[in-house]
Amino acid sequence: MWAKLIRHQDPGELRRGFEWLYGFVRPHWRSVARLLLLSLAATLLVLLQPWLTKMLIDDGLLARDYPVLLSIATAMIFVGIVGTVLAGVNRLLHTRLSGTILFALRSDLYRHLQSLSPAFYGRQRMGDLLSRIDGDVAEIQRFAVDSLFSAVSSVIGLVGAIVLMVSLSWQLSLLVLVLVPLEFLWLRWMRRKVEIRTRAVRERAADVSSFLVETLPAMKFIQASRRESDERERLDRLGATYLEDLLQLQRAEFFTHAVPSTLTSMTRAAAFVIGGWWIVEGSWQLGGLIAFSTYLGMATGPVNSLLGLYVAVQRMSVSLMRVRELREARVDVAETPEAAAGDRPWAGRIEFDGVVFRHDDREAPVLDRATLTIPAGSKVALTGASGVGKSTLVDLLHRHYDPAQGVITLDGIDLRQIAFADLRRAVAVVSQDIVLFRGTVADNIRYAAPAADEAAVREAARRAGLDGLIARLPRGLDTSLGERGQQLSGGERQRIAVARALLQDPCVLVLDEATSAVDEATEAQVIAAVDTLFAGRTRILISHRAATLVGCDLRVRLEGARLEAEPAIAESA
């Protein structure tokens, strides 16, 4: 399957992928130039060492000239120290450049992912997304930076080694002309196998990541269902498949490099046999043979590196295409250029005018020419059967989706004419799944209003009824919450969400099954607090509990892709 995909890989797509990648490298051309100069200096020092060794043996040891021996040894020590310092500086600057480009690539990809609709994330495996953002981005970044310096160093090293080999013996230098074509043909034959195995390993790694992302947050349910052993067996099967593909990749890479390495060893052995015969015959010196053998190794090393880059391109192209699939994922809703940003006061009047919307993967529409007016400041009960699309209607209000036809307005302004930041500040949503991050209580409360000061956070917490919780926590508002705030009760999480909404100061508040995880007494307290704190603002309540919807001004039922509204009848709890 992978071979078929790779054979049909569009060269144009790969070219665009490289253009995107090197768009992050070009702004750092000065740093790249400095590193190239350092690489040049380091390579020249490496090339100098074998020649100094030749002089040490021929002009010092065999000539029995102690002063020359001492001076050459001193020069070798100096060159070694300078080379070590250059290598350290080079590594430091390379790490800084490499890290800068890596995080720029990852930030650009994350920025694009932030613009995608909930439908995109509904189609994706979270583990696969993590694998692409982490592993694949790191792979292409390593190639983008390392390949450049590797290629330059290899070319300089190859040219320098060949020149010095020819100066030592042009006859033995002919061995390189035999070695290089054989290695090139072998690597060309192996590159496809490496590419196919690399893609398979990437997919298996994504399978394992997806399994962990799916099961670790659900461990309590797994334990309660007594399915621990089944999930371990599932992980073991995924691990076994991953290991098999990894071993196949390792075997392919081993043979990819083992054959050229063997050819290099055979070539060096031939050089020693021929050169050794010349030394026995008295037509060559020992230092020259040792230097030639060293340069031969230094020449074949760059050859292997340059040909290895050919294989590395195939490996990296797999990661590049996987990342580009994310980078080019279609943005369903984009902010229009004419969307006006501003601090206009909102009243909270919402209108649906002939709205038509359906999900791409479903034939039945969620809304079909739906029309509805919600007066500003009213309390609205939105009801309907499970799965009918109530939460989708909220997503339309937040412009996670746009209707195919019709218009949704806020205070008479088309939502598409309102900047995202203004719209999503004006419409606050408290959903069933309260999102809490690993941070302090204060950080979580001010998440939607990061500029709020401590006094505003404390006032919002007090008005939301969090005084009791804050008093019990060891550091009050500065207490750090665990993963997703799981040590808090449902009611406490709800109150944090209410405090967050208070700081956001919206004109429309949507409670989307927000109280379904708490008991009726806690629910009544939360609803009462919302009615008090958000009095005069538009409130939309979505719930299956009749008690939650008591006291609403308007009842809206979503049924048959239509919105049916009627005034609420006075009820008592």
Side-chain angles (χ1 to χ4, degrees), residues 70-88:
L70 184 61
S71 62
I72 295 175
T74 302
M76 292 178 71
I77 294 173
F78 176 76
V79 169
I81 292 174
V82 174
T84 301
V85 172
L86 281 179

Side-chain angles (χ1 to χ4, degrees), residues 159-171:
V159 172
I162 290 176
V163 168
L164 293 171
M165 279 194 299
V166 171
S167 68
L168 290 168
S169 172
W170 67 267
Q171 298 96 328

Side-chain angles (χ1 to χ4, degrees), residues 499-565:
R500 182 187 291 167
L502 280 170
L503 273 186
Q504 184 175 337
D505 193 27
C507 68
V508 178
L509 176 67
V510 180
L511 298 182
D512 185 4
E513 298 285 359
T515 56
S516 61
V518 299
D519 58 73
E520 292 189 6
T522 303
E523 177 186 51
Q525 294 174 3
V526 171
I527 297 299
V530 166
D531 287 339
T532 300
L533 298 173
F534 294 90
R537 308 184 197 201
T538 304
R539 288 149 287 156
I540 301 175
L541 277 61
I542 303 174
S543 178
H544 290 287
R545 290 180 179 176
T548 308
L549 308 178
V550 169
C552 291
D553 305 311
L554 184 68
R555 288 207 173 205
V556 178
R557 181 170 180 81
L558 178 55
E559 185 175 12
R562 298 298 182 91
L563 291 172
E564 301 175 356

Side-chain angles (χ1 to χ4, degrees), residues 427-445:
V427 180
V429 178
V430 179
S431 65
Q432 178 179 0
D433 298 321
I434 303 299
V435 177
L436 296 178
F437 296 98
R438 183 181 289 275
T440 65
V441 177
D443 290 339
N444 275 279
I445 291 176

Side-chain angles (χ1 to χ4, degrees), residues 327-373:
R327 187 64 184 79
E328 295 188 347
R330 181 170 56 92
V331 177
D332 295 323
V333 178
E335 192 168 63
T336 54
E338 60 271 16
D343 294 327
R344 67 168 65 89
W346 297 101
R349 186 173 187 267
I350 299 171
E351 289 186 79
F352 288 73
D353 184 8
V355 173
V356 177
F357 177 79
R358 64 165 46 85
H359 291 289
D360 292 338
D361 56 348
R362 300 179 189 178
E363 293 184 4
V366 177
L367 295 174
D368 186 10
R369 298 185 298 278
T371 300
L372 173 69
T373 297

Side-chain angles (χ1 to χ4, degrees), residues 459-481:
E459 177 62 16
R462 183 192 66 78
R463 295 177 62 194
L466 284 169
D467 290 340
L469 170 64
I470 294 170
R472 292 194 306 272
L473 294 175
R475 299 184 60 189
L477 282 171
D478 294 325
T479 302
S480 180
L481 298 178

Side-chain angles (χ1 to χ4, degrees), residues 156-481:
I156 296 172
L158 177 61
V159 172
I162 290 176
V163 168
L164 293 171
M165 279 194 299
V166 171
S167 68
L168 290 168
S169 172
W170 67 267
Q171 298 96 328
L172 285 182
S173 300
L174 297 176
L175 291 171
V176 177
L177 298 180
V178 178
L179 175 64
V180 171
L182 292 176
E183 291 187 347
F184 174 77
L185 292 174
W186 172 256
L187 291 172
R188 181 178 177 84
W189 186 68
M190 288 298 295
R191 70 178 179 86
R192 186 77 69 184
K193 300 180 184 298
V194 172
E195 184 177 4
I196 293 171
R197 296 305 177 195
T198 299
R199 177 174 284 275
V201 167
R202 292 289 183 195
E203 294 295 329
R204 298 295 80 75
D207 291 341
V208 174
S209 296
S210 295
F211 171 84
L212 295 175
V213 170
E214 177 187 4
T215 58
L216 288 178
M219 194 58 67
K220 181 179 179 181
F221 174 74
I222 293 172
Q223 293 168 344
S225 302
R226 307 177 307 284
R227 295 292 301 275
E228 297 95 331
S229 60
D230 294 333
E231 297 299 342
R232 284 197 306 273
E233 290 175 5
R234 189 153 69 101
L235 177 60
D236 291 342
R237 288 195 297 272
L238 292 173
T241 304
Y242 183 14
L243 179 60
E244 179 59 30
D245 285 334
L246 183 61
L247 290 175
Q248 291 187 28
L249 174 61
Q250 291 298 315
R251 284 193 288 269
E253 290 187 334
F254 169 76
F255 285 110
T256 298
H257 298 290
V259 170
S261 178
T262 302
L263 291 173
T264 300
S265 298
M266 293 170 62
T267 305
R268 295 184 72 175
F272 267 103
V273 170
I274 298 171
W277 174 257
W278 291 345
I279 291 174
V280 171
E281 292 293 312
S283 60
W284 212 20
Q285 291 181 303
L286 177 62
L289 176 59
I290 294 175
F292 184 90
S293 175
T294 304
Y295 284 127
L296 178 60
M298 295 174 67
T300 54
V303 169
N304 289 337
S305 295
L306 290 171
L307 295 177
L309 286 175
Y310 184 64
V311 176
V313 168
Q314 309 306 316
R315 292 190 57 181
M316 190 279 303
S317 65
V318 173
S319 293
L320 186 58
M321 289 300 98
R322 281 167 52 84
V323 170
R324 275 189 59 78
E325 287 175 5
L326 295 186
R327 187 64 184 79
E328 295 188 347
R330 181 170 56 92
V331 177
D332 295 323
V333 178
E335 192 168 63
T336 54
E338 60 271 16
D343 294 327
R344 67 168 65 89
W346 297 101
R349 186 173 187 267
I350 299 171
E351 289 186 79
F352 288 73
D353 184 8
V355 173
V356 177
F357 177 79
R358 64 165 46 85
H359 291 289
D360 292 338
D361 56 348
R362 300 179 189 178
E363 293 184 4
V366 177
L367 295 174
D368 186 10
R369 298 185 298 278
T371 300
L372 173 69
T373 297
I374 299 177
S378 60
K379 181 179 179 182
V380 180
L382 177 60
T383 62
S386 296
V388 75
K390 299 186 295 296
S391 295
T392 299
L393 188 144
V394 177
D395 288 337
L396 287 167
L397 284 178
H398 255 177
R399 279 204 74 204
H400 294 303
Y401 305 112
D402 275 339
Q405 298 177 30
V407 177
I408 305 174
T409 64
L410 176 64
D411 290 352
I413 301 175
D414 190 334
L415 298 188
R416 287 169 289 201
Q417 305 302 316
I418 305 174
F420 279 148
D422 288 346
L423 174 63
R424 292 167 183 175
R425 187 184 305 115
V427 180
V429 178
V430 179
S431 65
Q432 178 179 0
D433 298 321
I434 303 299
V435 177
L436 296 178
F437 296 98
R438 183 181 289 275
T440 65
V441 177
D443 290 339
N444 275 279
I445 291 176
R446 65 160 61 93
Y447 189 82
D453 59 25
E454 183 178 354
V457 172
R458 290 190 175 279
E459 177 62 16
R462 183 192 66 78
R463 295 177 62 194
L466 284 169
D467 290 340
L469 170 64
I470 294 170
R472 292 194 306 272
L473 294 175
R475 299 184 60 189
L477 282 171
D478 294 325
T479 302
S480 180
L481 298 178

